[in-house]
Amino acid sequence: MTPPPRPTLADVTRGRILYGGDYNPEQWPESVWQQDMELMREAGVNLATVGVFSWARLEPRPGERDFGWLDRVLDLLHAGGIGVCLATPTASPPPWMGARHPGTLPRDETGAVIWYGSRNHFCASSPVYRDHALRITADLADRYGDHPALRLWHVNNEYGTTCWCDATAAHFRRWLRDRYGSLDALNEAWGTAFWSQRYGDWEEIIPPRRAQYMVNPTQELDFRRFTSDALLECFTAERDALIDRTPHIPVTTNFMPLFAGQDGWEWAKREDVVSVDLYPDPAAPEGDDGAAWGALVQDLTRSQARGPWLLMEQAAGPVNWRGVNHPRPEGLTRLWSLQAVARGADGICFFQWRQSRQGSEKFHSGMVSHAGPRGRTFRQVRELGADLGRLGALTGSPVTARAAVLHDWNAWWATLSAGRPSSLLTYERPLRAWHRALWESHLTCDLAHPESGLDGYALVAVPHLYLLTDAALDNLASYVRGGGTLVCGFFTGVADTDDRVRKGGVDARLREVLGIGTLHEWWPLDEGQAQPLAPFGDDIAEGAVGTLWREDFETLPGTETVAAYRGGELDGRPAITRHPFGDGTAWYLSTLPDPAALRALLSRAAGEAGLRPPLPGLPTGVEAVRRGAWLFVLNHRREPATVPLPVPATDELTGRRHEHAITLGRHGAAVLREDPSA
């Protein structure tokens, strides 16, 4: 019998943009709670996340339950018309657990205990932790499953703990047995003939703890896979307990943005609602600004969700963990929130509602800051709530992207071991540079797994995927052969799923697609070093340079050299190539071009693939994104910008009609409904 479909984000939104944040009333006397309700209604809040870090209050001693205060909170929220995202408190066990059960505490690579006194102090492999976590989760579901305020379950918080203890070692061995079946298969996969590392008994295997020198990189890769899976087991156990008791309530857990600790593709499959926390730096240096970073995280989260998603946390002001924590300039919170809605968010939430007066995050902002309801922060929160209240009609509407950037956590994990050609080549560096180039070209893109269906995309970009499975390589070849346009970056397709270097340095299937003959050497650049490029044509301008990486390779017949290296050991060797394959085209970039050159190259490839920006003639620093019937225009500049409009349009935020152009103020935004019949 087919199980009934699971509830979705639409069951939570109910035709309106969700708006609110983490609410921690246990930090405040009850005399403050009624004022909270009044201010939430004033701000347009319709969702409060409750209980994330309340385990010690809910279970003050083992087995005891104190739910009375939470009863009153949920009743107050419901009376105020505010829905509840109720969290399981399992991210932060109470001190009694660590004191009575020290085996629940994680250990680091050296065996040192990570003590309680902060948060996330649990070992995901500890059966004692898991048992207590399931008990409190089940009791919450039993008590509040039918509460009329309950809209969404939020399991744990920002999963990311890693442990190297003995319980973890035993769990790791069980995981390896399931993966490999035999020690011979494990030894083959790990290449244990190197450095006399062959294992003769399962009990000899330990996590990659601190060693005399570099540890086995495939052991490290598998341990990262295992850690993601171990945490996922904790999530799914709590999720299943909630589903058993409340099948009508969807379940989420909040991702950290572009975080290496979890395989986000696998995790998203097990969530009803995909959510993320996002904290761009308002004072980020040029070339690394928050708008580009936000767009990348938002595109990834939408792609994981395969549709609308929830921004679970952002800051209403300065955070507290950077060296210098800058407030947000006027209008920036509104702008970045609308950017998230443009890229598929159906909910905008903050950490937290009221700024804490004590504890480690007392200087982390809240929707109600230390200045109180008369402060600038709350005024902006109230104005944003009014804006979002006008956009309920767009909930559930899609963001259509015809370009994809390939991303894979296994490929990322494989780059994290030592002993690589260059420690400067991090996984994120080319990914962020390529996505930014597409973003600056006003081309909305999904992120996609390399084994996923790619036929719907006119352009597929692969900034850097060191590890590619056989299935992924066959998928890329099939995509290009069928008429797709592939743009592939350097040091890609080098290793198989066991981090074994493929024959020839790059898999032969990928070399055939890209038009590469012999790859002689990887030739990385030093930090700050630039390699001049000699362009052949108008795709990139004179003066373009490559950074970070170079390669010495030969091309196959029929491969066009778009740019060559100029000067130095690689003078005259191909740097950027273009190769027809089947009915499609494959580009290869063996270096990281400077931002202008990278943007020009990706724009040419996109143009040849038939991709166009949603609005022509956009000024620099202005973003345009289509979501369903709406066109978002976002000014990330610190000065006004005028945007020409091909057809008249009405701004949903102001109700004003604009005939030929719209002028956006500093950090201004518009949500346009176009009138093509005019």
Side-chain angles (χ1 to χ4, degrees):
M1 182 176 178
T2 303
R6 292 289 304 143
T8 67
L9 183 56
D11 295 295
V12 188
T13 61
R14 303 181 182 183
R16 57 184 179 173
I17 299 285
L18 299 174
Y19 186 52
D22 281 50
Y23 182 39
N24 299 295
E26 65 270 27
Q27 298 178 13
W28 298 87
E30 292 197 28
S31 58
V32 177
W33 296 0
Q34 188 58 52
Q35 184 193 38
D36 286 333
M37 301 304 114
E38 295 166 2
L39 292 177
M40 285 183 189
R41 288 194 294 269
E42 183 181 341
V45 167
N46 56 42
L47 186 74
T49 300
V50 180
V52 176
F53 296 118
S54 62
W55 197 343
R57 180 72 186 270
L58 293 169
E59 189 175 6
R61 283 168 291 279
E64 292 186 16
R65 295 290 184 264
D66 180 5
F67 287 136
W69 68 275
L70 189 55
D71 293 346
R72 296 190 293 277
V73 170
L74 265 62
D75 289 346
L76 278 172
L77 289 165
H78 178 61
I82 300 163
V84 170
C85 171
L86 186 55
T88 68
T90 52
S92 194
W96 57 256
M97 187 180 297
R100 288 169 171 78
H101 305 286
T104 64
L105 297 171
R107 291 179 179 263
D108 68 13
E109 301 97 318
T110 70
V113 175
I114 309 298
W115 291 99
Y116 52 91
S118 181
R119 62 170 181 155
N120 296 97
H121 46 276
F122 65 89
C123 167
S125 299
S126 164
V128 175
Y129 164 77
R130 291 192 180 197
D131 179 65
H132 281 284
L134 278 178
R135 288 174 185 269
I136 191 69
T137 295
D139 287 352
L140 281 167
D142 288 338
R143 189 170 188 96
Y144 299 109
D146 293 324
H147 196 285
L150 183 62
R151 298 286 184 272
L152 178 67
W153 286 112
H154 174 358
V155 173
N156 204 277
N157 182 72
E158 295 183 338
Y159 276 104
T161 303
T162 303
C163 179
W164 287 261
C165 73
D166 288 342
T168 297
H171 191 187
F172 184 40
R173 287 190 286 269
R174 293 194 300 272
W175 184 91
L176 291 169
R177 281 178 179 269
D178 289 341
R179 181 175 178 85
Y180 293 108
S182 70
L183 277 173
D184 286 344
L186 179 140
N187 282 305
E188 174 66 21
W190 284 14
T192 55
F194 185 79
W195 280 354
S196 185
Q197 292 178 347
R198 182 172 182 83
Y199 294 97
D201 191 285
W202 287 104
E203 294 302 311
E204 296 169 0
I205 300 172
I206 58 175
R209 293 169 177 159
R210 185 175 177 182
Q212 186 72 10
Y213 189 41
M214 292 183 287
V215 301
N216 186 309
T218 312
Q219 180 187 11
E220 285 190 310
L221 173 58
D222 270 345
F223 188 66
R224 291 188 174 97
R225 290 166 170 154
F226 156 78
T227 298
S228 178
D229 285 353
L231 291 168
L232 185 55
E233 288 176 15
C234 292
F235 166 73
T236 53
E238 291 187 40
R239 179 206 64 183
D240 291 349
L242 296 171
I243 289 174
D244 286 345
R245 292 163 174 81
T246 58
H248 58 296
I249 302 296
V251 181
T252 189
T253 187
N254 51 334
F255 292 119
M256 288 180 278
L258 199 65
F259 173 58
Q262 301 160 278
D263 185 339
W265 297 124
E266 289 300 317
W267 279 67
K269 294 175 186 176
R270 292 160 175 82
E271 292 185 284
D272 300 318
V273 174
V274 175
S275 61
V276 74
D277 301 346
L278 179 57
Y279 292 95
D281 186 353
E286 185 72 22
D288 192 31
D289 63 79
W293 169 240
L296 170 57
V297 173
Q298 293 154 17
D299 286 346
L300 173 58
T301 310
R302 183 189 67 250
S303 302
Q304 290 173 272
R306 299 186 179 184
W309 53 279
L310 174 60
L311 178 55
M312 182 67 79
E313 290 184 23
Q314 64 168 336
V319 297
N320 74 325
W321 63 78
R322 298 186 176 107
V324 177
N325 295 291
H326 297 273
R328 291 184 174 186
E330 184 75 28
L332 197 58
T333 295
R334 174 181 184 265
L335 177 65
W336 284 352
S337 298
L338 290 172
Q339 183 192 42
V341 176
R343 293 181 176 271
D346 274 358
I348 301 295
C349 297
F350 292 85
F351 183 86
Q352 57 181 322
W353 165 249
R354 189 180 283 273
Q355 194 168 12
S356 300
R357 294 182 63 191
Q358 288 186 288
S360 299
E361 293 182 321
K362 57 183 173 290
F363 295 113
H364 188 302
S365 68
M367 298 169 76
V368 181
S369 71
H370 292 311
R374 295 186 179 181
R376 182 179 78 111
T377 297
F378 186 70
R379 171 181 57 79
Q380 293 183 102
V381 162
R382 189 175 60 243
E383 292 168 353
L384 175 59
D387 279 334
L388 296 176
R390 300 180 181 103
L391 300 179
L394 62 73
T395 56
S397 58
V399 177
T400 301
R402 297 189 60 233
V405 176
L406 299 193
H407 164 62
D408 179 34
W409 270 271
N410 279 270
W412 188 355
W413 292 331
T415 68
L416 296 176
S417 298
R420 303 281 165 177
S422 171
S423 62
L424 301 178
L425 175 53
T426 62
Y427 178 86
E428 307 100 305
R429 192 165 174 178
L431 173 63
R432 294 183 67 167
W434 281 48
H435 185 276
R436 184 188 180 100
L438 290 165
W439 176 73
E440 290 178 340
S441 301
H442 312 294
L443 299 173
T444 304
C445 58
D446 291 337
L447 280 85
H449 189 279
E451 294 181 12
S452 64
L454 303 175
D455 291 344
Y457 297 111
L459 175 76
V460 170
V462 186
H464 166 54
L465 289 177
Y466 160 79
L467 182 155
L468 281 173
T469 65
D470 289 339
L473 288 160
D474 291 339
N475 193 37
L476 291 178
S478 175
Y479 168 74
V480 181
R481 188 181 294 111
T485 297
L486 174 71
V487 187
C488 184
F490 50 82
F491 209 49
T492 287
V494 173
D496 66 12
T497 191
D498 296 326
D499 197 10
R500 181 185 295 105
V501 175
R502 292 185 180 274
K503 186 176 180 180
V506 174
D507 185 82
R509 287 162 289 187
L510 187 59
R511 280 186 277 126
E512 182 184 10
V513 171
L514 298 174
I516 295 175
T518 301
L519 172 65
H520 294 290
E521 293 285 355
W522 298 297
W523 213 298
L525 291 160
D526 292 320
E527 187 67 74
Q529 184 181 4
Q531 169 68 59
L533 300 176
F536 299 162
D538 299 328
D539 302 304
I540 55 176
E542 283 291 336
V545 299
T547 65
L548 190 62
W549 193 265
R550 298 168 298 185
E551 291 177 355
D552 181 7
F553 67 97
E554 297 175 7
T555 59
L556 297 175
T559 303
E560 171 193 357
T561 298
V562 176
Y565 294 114
R566 175 183 287 165
E569 291 291 332
L570 299 184
D571 185 52
R573 306 292 290 169
I576 298 165
T577 61
R578 182 176 178 273
H579 179 238
F581 181 79
D583 293 329
T585 303
W587 294 68
Y588 186 58
L589 280 59
S590 69
T591 187
L592 180 61
D594 63 84
L598 179 60
R599 187 167 57 248
L601 286 161
L602 290 176
S603 292
R604 177 189 161 185
E608 290 181 357
L611 299 183
R612 300 289 182 272
L615 271 182
L618 281 169
T620 301
V622 177
E623 176 182 7
V625 184
R626 287 196 182 277
R627 181 175 180 187
W630 291 266
L631 177 64
F632 285 72
V633 187
L634 310 166
N635 181 19
H636 297 286
R637 296 153 44 134
R638 295 177 181 268
E639 62 277 337
T642 298
V643 178
L645 299 176
V647 297
T650 299
D651 184 0
E652 299 273 36
L653 299 176
T654 65
R656 290 185 57 193
R657 180 179 170 87
H658 301 270
E659 296 294 333
H660 305 293
I662 183 171
T663 298
L664 302 172
R666 174 181 184 261
H667 295 152
V671 182
L672 301 176
R673 288 294 298 262
E674 295 173 305
D675 183 6
S677 64

